[in-house]
Amino acid sequence: MTQSAMDVTQLEHELRTYRPAAMPSLPPNFVWPRYEGASVGNLAATVAQGLGASLPGALPPLWPDLLGDLLEGVERIVLVTLDSLGWEQLLWVLARRADSELARLAQRGRLLPITTTFLSTTNSVLNTLWTGRPPLEHGLLGFEFYLREWLMAVEALSFSPAVAPFTGALRNWGFNAEKFIPVPTVAQALKDHGVATYAVTARPLIATPLSQMQYRGVANVEGYEFPSELWVMLGRVLREHRGERFFLSGYWSGVDTLGHHYGPYDTTADLEIRSIGQLLEAGLLEQLAAAERRGTLLLVTADHGQINAPARAAVRLPDHPQLRDLLIMPPLGEARVPFFYVRSGCYTAAWNYLHTHLSRPFIYFSQQAFIESGLLGQGTPHAELEYRLGDIIGIARKDAYFVRDPALAQRLRGRHGGLDAGEMLVPLLALRLDA
């Protein structure tokens, strides 16, 4: 089944222009997360539904029209997440490479835009993808936030103190990653229905706290060193478990790493994305026999996109000493979505300062308004949500971002976390391998 250009155009227009009734005047480049059926967050329930299981309490499955009849007769679902491959970035590549493997695969199946969740950052989105619960419920909000139970600001990829990121210190101090997320994973739900889950990811990531959160209930996790291995390993799982009903997850971070270092529209990004299509075709699809393709649905998506982050767009905390003195600590969250933790009695002064001096690069929400907006989804808020969020939350307009150290303005050429279409719109490639 193919997807017509008109259908894709209409869907993309609807995603770009949608505004909830309470938010009619958002900046025009903002894209609202569509938790109700057109987001990465809806994939967990879609996988469960396709494999004859249920995921109680989760976000609903994707809107039926998005996949059409591709779920009919499905026995195995392979979901590959390409970190930071935005919809706009993919279209940029496809427009220049109309004869590429990815373009041909899109013609064979369906290639559609969906939204990611918010904040548009890896650790939060992946936990929504694995649990089917919005960030409001799972509580993993962004790259950095305050953990009241640990009395510290943490970097929440490796779970380290924010002042000593990527050291993995909390794990050494007894942090229990498997109990950090208070909701079950799709793998646990599938296991209850007799359906196994397998995963393939980068070998250094297997033992990290983030993987331990996500892979609860997974029957087996395999690690790769090189991109070619990822696709070969996915094919090997399909062969070794031929005839079995299962869910298979794969993850690749190359697009994200290169985008941060060079920018999302650098030549390296073009080459990396093209190579993904080549390896998918040669390393996976061409290696599968008919029996190994039977009843198999391949889904390829991303956790978020990226935008260019020029140094000129940085807002530097040392340039605003009056604001700094109104805060308990430097802003956390994401550079594109700063969480401001305000000193007692200083809320009005902080709010007024932000709106007087920094209203051009950011819009602002009070914590209550942010929670009630639906940006983090609907449901029962995580018990620690109000402590992890700041008192005031900023969301960047255009390419702005907030740094506490001026040196950080030069570190990344591509960034994400905000509501820009480049960050929020991601592709969903759906392909029946037995078609």
Side-chain angles (χ1 to χ4, degrees), residues 2-3 90-91 93-111 273-274 276-278 280-281 429 431:
T2 59
Q3 181 72 25
L90 179 59
L91 293 185
V93 172
L94 293 179
R96 303 162 77 228
R97 313 290 176 183
D99 59 345
S100 67
E101 286 84 355
L102 282 174
R104 292 197 298 271
L105 290 171
Q107 290 298 317
R108 286 176 52 191
R110 289 191 168 206
L111 178 62
I273 295 166
R274 288 164 56 197
I276 288 170
Q278 294 164 356
L280 192 165
E281 184 76 51
L429 172 65
L431 179 68

Side-chain angles (χ1 to χ4, degrees), residues 52-95:
S54 60
L55 197 56
L59 294 165
L62 289 168
W63 293 333
D65 288 348
L66 297 186
L67 293 183
D69 60 1
L70 293 179
L71 283 171
E72 292 181 8
V74 161
E75 298 173 3
R76 295 98 59 85
I77 297 178
V78 183
L79 173 61
V80 180
T81 304
L82 304 174
D83 198 321
S84 204
L85 178 59
W87 173 254
E88 292 186 345
Q89 186 187 35
L90 179 59
L91 293 185
W92 169 72
V93 172
L94 293 179

Side-chain angles (χ1 to χ4, degrees), residues 82 85 90 93-94 97 100-103 105 226-231 252-255 258 267-284:
L82 304 174
L85 178 59
L90 179 59
V93 172
L94 293 179
R97 313 290 176 183
S100 67
E101 286 84 355
L102 282 174
L105 290 171
F226 303 100
S228 56
E229 285 184 285
L230 165 63
W231 303 100
W252 175 246
S253 63
V255 180
L258 290 169
T267 301
T268 55
D270 179 33
L271 292 172
E272 174 65 17
I273 295 166
R274 288 164 56 197
S275 73
I276 288 170
Q278 294 164 356
L279 290 172
L280 192 165
E281 184 76 51
L284 175 63

Side-chain angles (χ1 to χ4, degrees), residues 164-181:
F166 305 110
T167 59
L170 269 67
R171 181 172 54 183
N172 298 332
W173 300 336
F175 176 74
N176 190 330
E178 293 191 0
K179 293 185 178 180
F180 185 73
I181 302 296

